[in-house]
Amino acid sequence: MDHAPIIRGDGALEIIAFMLSEQQFAVRTTSIREIRGWAPVTPLPHTPPEVVGVMNLRGTVIPIIDLACKLGMPPAEASERSAIVVTSVKGRTIGMMVDRVSDILTVSAADLQPVPAAAGLATTGFAEGIFARDKVMICFLNLDAIFATADPESWDSQGAV
């Protein structure tokens, strides 16, 4: 599976940046379908801890994942500033709960630096690299790698991701 970042012809990456536990992360905009404000979700019994619940998105029930929890961070607390980033991974629609969306950016692919091996995310393949922007480090995530351990056939209305 190729995890190379999608780079525009001019050597730029278009990314959406968001906050998780006061840390900045980003994913490529091409993987994002929409960004929604926080809305209550329906919890389901016997789901993994990162599955917050499910929501109805224009007639389709989609799982909502606490991305912080999925990345091994403390679970997020939903608030009015929280957002649901709706993405398509392996042909399935998933909502990722984030603390807040901070920006949509175009960054130079040359500024993408490798994740240090000691950072942990490098060994999992969850991060494609790190950007430094305005004295802040932004971790560039690989959604395919994050959700690779899930069986796409189980991504149904039961919320198993």
Side-chain angles (χ1 to χ4, degrees):
M1 184 181 322
D2 183 15
H3 293 297
I6 296 174
I7 302 172
R8 295 188 334 196
D10 61 358
L13 286 165
E14 292 182 353
I15 62 172
I16 180 167
F18 51 86
M19 302 294 292
L20 293 174
S21 300
E22 299 307 313
Q23 296 178 30
Q24 286 227 9
F25 293 87
V27 295
R28 54 175 76 81
T29 57
T30 55
S31 64
I32 304 302
R33 293 182 53 188
E34 66 183 274
I35 300 167
R36 302 176 60 86
W38 177 250
V41 298
T42 302
L44 293 174
H46 305 292
T47 57
E50 68 268 14
V51 178
V52 179
V54 294
M55 72 178 291
N56 185 337
L57 182 66
R58 291 182 294 285
T60 302
V61 176
I62 66 168
I64 305 300
I65 306 302
D66 179 344
L67 189 56
C69 186
K70 183 75 174 172
L71 294 175
M73 300 167 70
E77 291 291 327
S79 72
E80 68 280 350
R81 294 189 70 183
S82 297
I84 297 173
V85 178
V86 180
T87 185
S88 181
V89 178
K90 298 181 181 181
R92 299 290 183 153
T93 302
I94 299 172
M96 301 181 302
M97 183 178 79
V98 300
D99 292 342
R100 70 181 181 275
V101 172
S102 52
D103 214 344
I104 296 176
L105 308 166
T106 300
V107 295
S108 171
D111 293 338
L112 183 64
Q113 299 178 30
V115 177
L121 286 174
T123 58
T124 62
F126 286 2
E128 293 188 38
I130 297 202
F131 291 102
R133 183 150 180 117
D134 300 327
K135 299 180 183 178
V136 175
M137 300 300 287
I138 302 173
C139 182
F140 186 56
L141 296 175
N142 181 323
L143 295 180
D144 285 338
I146 291 169
F147 294 106
T149 58
D151 174 11
E153 296 304 314
S154 70
W155 296 3
D156 56 18
S157 61
Q158 298 304 306
V161 175

